[in-house]
Amino acid sequence: MPVDRPDLAQVDVSGVRRAVNIGLLEGEELAPGDWILIHVGFALSKIDEVEAKAALDFLESIGQAYEDEMAALRESMIDKG
């Protein structure tokens, strides 16, 4: 991320890299490998792997809506590398 944007972090969402605003987590220690709950491009909270798996399982269970969201994420990809 640009040095002049410390509020942005590059994250991996199911294999899709994208920029996420982490400004709401100011003061929270974040490191590569941490799990965060994101919504519409904003990191809402740091969560553990168990919570992350439960959230992903739920999203996968809702079927087509999940597939549509993942397609939208892929279309907004910022790094195809």
Side-chain angles (χ1 to χ4, degrees):
M1 292 290 91
V3 175
D4 62 336
R5 292 299 310 262
D7 60 330
L8 294 181
Q10 188 175 50
V11 301
D12 180 303
V13 179
S14 295
V16 177
R17 292 183 193 168
R18 62 177 303 154
V20 170
N21 186 305
I22 57 171
L24 295 172
L25 300 182
E26 186 175 338
E28 182 81 49
E29 268 192 53
L30 298 174
D34 284 344
W35 294 90
I36 56 170
L37 180 63
I38 58 173
H39 180 64
V40 294
F42 289 87
L44 301 178
S45 63
K46 184 175 170 181
I47 59 177
D48 63 30
E49 190 170 358
V50 173
E51 288 178 281
K53 182 171 180 356
L56 286 171
D57 288 348
F58 171 75
L59 289 173
E60 289 171 350
S61 75
I62 60 175
Q64 189 58 48
Y66 173 77
E67 290 303 319
D68 293 344
E69 180 67 18
M70 291 310 300
L73 278 171
R74 286 183 194 96
E75 290 174 13
S76 70
M77 200 181 261
I78 61 169
D79 181 355
K80 297 182 182 195

